[in-house]
Amino acid sequence: MYTILFTIAAYLIGSISFAVVTSRAFGLSDPRTYGSKNPGATNVLRSGSKKAAIATLAGDCVKGWLAVWLAVHFGGRFGLDDGGVALVAIAVFLGHLWPVFFRFVGGKGVATALGVLLGLNVWLGLAVLATWLVVAYAFRYSSLAALVAAVMAPLYYGIGLGVDEKLFAVIFMSVLLLYRHASNITKLLAGKESRIGSKAAGAKASPKK
C-alpha cells in the first residue's frame, strides 16, 4: 500500500514542469512553442535567459532527487525495499516525461534523470554529470552529451554498485532517454542539430497583460 502511495506521489512531483513554470515566472514564451518545443532547460536557454534556464535545470533535477531521497531515507519505515525505491525512481521520471498537470506533454528527462541518480547514489550522479559536462564542452551538443551519459549510467551503476532492482530502473530510464532523443539522433547524423546557446526564433518575452 505504502509503495503505491510513494509511487503516485513521485509521479505527481515529476509532473511539475519547471520549464513551463519558470518561463511564466520570467515572462518568457512557453518553451513548448519555439525551438525544439521541448520543455527543458536547453530549450529555455534558447530564449536568451540564462537565469530561467538555470532555474529550470535546478528545479527538474531537484524534483528527481527529492522523490528518490524521500523513498531511500523514509521509505524503509513504511516497508519500501529496493524494488519500491526503483518504482519511485521510474515514477518521478515518467512524471516529467508525461506530466499529468501539463496534458502529458513533458521534457526529455535529462535533468530529472540526473536528480534520480544523485538520489540513488551521489557518486553515481556525479560520474554521470561529469560525463555530460565533458561531452557537452567538447562538442557543444546537449543532446549528444545526454545520449553518451544515458549509455554510461547503467555501466557506472553496475560497476560501482552491482546488480539489483535499482539498476533495472536506471536501465529503463536510459532506454527512455534514448527514445526521447530519437529526433536529435537524426539531426546529429544530418549535421542539423542546434548547439548549446543558440537562440531560437519565437523565443521572445511574453507580452505584458
Side-chain angles (χ1 to χ4, degrees):
M1 179 64 180
Y2 285 110
T3 298
I4 295 174
L5 292 177
F6 268 87
T7 302
I8 292 174
Y11 173 76
L12 295 177
I13 291 172
S15 290
I16 303 172
S17 179
F18 281 93
V20 178
V21 173
T22 300
S23 293
R24 289 176 182 174
F26 279 78
L28 303 172
S29 298
D30 189 320
R32 296 169 294 181
T33 63
Y34 64 82
S36 65
K37 295 182 172 57
N38 173 59
T42 300
N43 203 38
V44 172
L45 182 60
R46 294 189 177 106
S47 71
S49 175
K50 292 182 180 180
K51 290 182 179 179
I54 292 172
T56 299
L57 179 66
D60 284 343
C61 183
V62 167
K63 71 182 182 184
W65 168 83
L66 177 63
V68 175
W69 185 86
L70 290 173
V72 170
H73 290 274
F74 297 101
R77 67 186 65 178
F78 296 102
L80 261 71
D81 54 11
D82 282 350
V85 173
L87 286 176
V88 167
I90 291 172
V92 68
F93 185 68
L94 291 178
H96 178 79
L97 267 54
W98 293 286
V100 67
F101 303 132
F102 296 91
R103 300 180 180 179
F104 303 102
V105 179
K108 295 182 179 177
V110 177
T112 301
L114 173 61
V116 169
L117 296 176
L118 287 168
L120 292 174
N121 183 278
V122 173
W123 295 111
L124 170 66
L126 291 177
V128 173
L129 175 60
T131 300
W132 189 96
L133 289 172
V134 168
V135 177
Y137 179 79
F139 298 98
R140 306 299 296 172
Y141 288 116
S142 175
S143 57
L144 179 61
L147 291 168
V148 175
V151 171
M152 296 305 297
L155 296 177
Y156 292 156
Y157 190 103
I159 293 171
L161 302 171
V163 177
D164 58 19
E165 291 94 335
K166 292 177 286 187
L167 171 59
F168 292 104
V170 175
I171 293 173
F172 182 80
M173 287 193 302
S174 293
V175 171
L176 277 181
L177 280 168
L178 296 176
Y179 167 74
R180 296 286 282 188
H181 283 80
S183 61
N184 300 95
I185 294 173
T186 300
K187 290 178 181 178
L188 283 167
L189 293 175
K192 297 180 180 180
E193 180 71 322
S194 298
R195 292 181 180 271
I196 295 174
S198 61
K199 191 169 182 178
K204 301 177 181 177
S206 300
K208 300 294 183 181
K209 297 182 179 179

